[in-house]
């Protein structure tokens, strides 16, 4: 069994990951409506990865004898004025998620819960990658997005992203 507070923080994180999936699906819908199917594809794949993160945490709780309480998922409430807006919102969101994972890690460290720390190691690394990806998207958009040909090429590049379930999940 895990410490109650850690189990509760992990349970909350399931909701946050599912919200992330919802948020990115909303981004995908925005880009689809703008005719940028490549951008939409990139965020659809991202939404699937976020859903997977929720499932991984759910599995960890269940494997450790905890029940899971699924809470309501908040409605994404962002409105976008420019094509850059979702990219910036995505980067800010990933930084927020990193802070949440860090808080759980910090609690696990304080409780000498080395198992949960080991479990979260995968998420710490994943967050580093997700922040880098989000930042790269902004940089590329700023470089190429203002020109129609550049935007077309960037859209083609993002269309190539393929969803692949994570081969190496976190330690359970
Ligand atoms: Fe599951 Fe993008 O954090």
């Amino acid at each position: 069994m895990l410490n109650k507070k850690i189990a509760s923080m992990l349970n909350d994180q399931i909701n946050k990951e599912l919200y992330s999936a919802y948020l990115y699906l909303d981004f995908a819908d925005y880009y689809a409506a703008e005719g940028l199917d490549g951008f939409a594809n990139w965020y659809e794949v991202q939404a699937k990865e976020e859903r997977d993160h929720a499932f991984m945490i759910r599995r960890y709780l269940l494997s450790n004898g905890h029940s899971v309480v699924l809470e309501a998922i908040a409605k994404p409430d962002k409105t976008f004025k420019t094509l850059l807006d979702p990219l910036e919102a995505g980067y800010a969101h990933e930084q927020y998620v990193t802070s949440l994972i860090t808080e759980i890690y910090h609690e696990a460290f304080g409780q000498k819960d080395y198992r949960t720390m080991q479990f979260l190691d995968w998420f710490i690394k994943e967050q580093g990658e997700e922040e880098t990806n989000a930042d790269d998207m902004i940089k590329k958009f700023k470089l190429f997005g203002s020109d129609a040909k550049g935007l077309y090429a960037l859209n083609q590049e993002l269309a190539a992203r393929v969803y692949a379930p994570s081969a190496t999940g976190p330690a359970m």
Side-chain angles (χ1 to χ4, degrees):
M1 289 288 274
L2 305 170
N3 162 279
K4 254 191 172 172
K5 183 167 182 197
I6 291 174
S8 163
M9 290 173 95
L10 287 168
N11 195 91
D12 284 349
Q13 191 61 31
I14 293 175
N15 187 270
K16 298 291 196 294
E17 300 291 342
L18 290 173
Y19 173 76
S20 301
Y22 236 40
L23 185 69
Y24 293 139
L25 215 45
D26 196 44
F27 290 8
D29 292 346
Y30 165 77
Y31 284 119
E34 294 291 328
L36 289 167
D37 54 347
F39 283 73
N41 170 68
W42 199 94
Y43 279 111
E44 278 171 30
V45 172
Q46 193 58 33
K48 288 176 186 167
E49 288 201 357
E50 298 300 349
R51 174 206 58 197
D52 290 350
H53 298 167
F55 275 55
M56 288 168 187
I57 300 169
R58 170 184 171 271
R59 174 51 49 201
Y60 182 71
L61 283 173
L62 294 177
S63 303
N64 282 282
H66 288 272
S67 52
V68 170
V69 181
L70 294 177
E71 304 289 353
I73 303 167
K75 181 179 176 186
D77 60 355
K78 302 244 181 296
T79 48
F80 309 119
K81 291 198 181 81
T82 73
L83 295 173
L84 178 63
D85 287 352
L87 306 182
E88 291 188 324
Y91 187 33
H93 183 70
E94 285 308 325
Q95 288 174 313
Y96 167 64
V97 173
T98 298
S99 77
L100 297 174
I101 298 287
T102 304
E103 273 177 40
I104 309 173
Y105 201 95
H106 184 73
E107 185 66 26
F109 178 73
Q111 307 260 1
K112 295 192 170 64
D113 180 351
Y114 301 116
R115 188 163 22 136
T116 298
M117 286 164 68
Q118 209 175 22
F119 170 72
L120 290 175
D121 280 341
W122 185 89
F123 285 87
I124 298 274
K125 187 164 174 281
E126 177 75 5
Q127 280 312 120
E129 287 171 13
E130 293 203 340
E131 282 193 35
T132 302
N133 289 343
D135 190 30
D136 283 352
M137 295 267 279
I138 293 171
K139 284 182 184 146
K140 281 186 184 174
F141 187 86
K142 284 184 175 170
L143 275 171
F144 309 116
S146 54
D147 161 79
K149 274 189 190 158
L151 183 61
Y152 182 79
L154 186 53
N155 188 57
Q156 295 287 96
E157 182 189 320
L158 298 178
R161 186 180 186 192
V162 176
Y163 167 71
S166 178
T168 57
M172 291 279 174

